[in-house]
Amino acid sequence: QVQLVESGGGLVQPGGSLRLSCTASGSRFYAMGWYRQAPGKQRELVAHIISGGNTNYADSVKGRFTISRNNAKNTLYLQMNSLKPEDTAVYYCNAVESTQAVHWGRGTQVTVSS
């Protein structure tokens, strides 16, 4: 059974940093990513990484966020720097198996506020 468990969310002031983690179990994944959903908005891609290491970022987070993964630990990370109030959202871990099966975590809340 595949499980994705996010951690690391919280309340941070504008300009601050947070590091999200997603611990995966039950399979190996071709691609993993972070999505976010703010109140009243659609879920959107934040960053994405495939097994070869290629990454892709939303324009709104380029230069501020860094996605990485530790394949040995089956763990995905998102380092978020220079956080802005508009980054406030629930952040979800996403993982895709080589069979194209898609899995989601339950999400972790990130709130950027003074």
Side-chain angles (χ1 to χ4, degrees):
Q1 182 180 356
V2 173
Q3 279 193 318
L4 303 176
V5 180
E6 302 99 334
S7 61
L11 173 64
V12 63
Q13 291 187 340
S17 298
L18 282 175
R19 188 194 195 206
L20 304 184
S21 299
C22 171
T23 301
S25 60
S27 185
R28 308 298 292 185
F29 302 102
Y30 167 73
M32 299 185 76
W34 291 97
Y35 287 71
R36 67 186 180 188
Q37 188 167 17
K41 294 188 177 181
Q42 289 189 330
R43 191 174 296 189
E44 62 176 3
L45 173 69
V46 175
H48 181 253
I49 184 168
I50 63 174
S51 58
N54 288 345
T55 59
N56 181 46
Y57 295 90
D59 287 344
S60 59
V61 306
K62 283 181 181 177
R64 300 189 297 123
F65 291 10
T66 303
I67 190 171
S68 61
R69 63 187 292 185
N70 183 324
N71 291 325
K73 295 183 178 180
N74 220 10
T75 301
L76 180 71
Y77 304 98
L78 185 68
Q79 178 66 44
M80 305 187 294
N81 298 328
S82 302
L83 282 160
K84 304 175 181 180
E86 51 263 43
D87 294 318
T88 295
V90 178
Y91 283 70
Y92 296 91
C93 179
N94 167 277
V96 183
E97 297 181 77
S98 57
T99 60
Q100 300 303 303
V102 179
H103 305 277
W104 293 93
R106 292 189 174 186
T108 185
Q109 176 70 46
V110 171
T111 302
V112 185
S113 175
S114 55

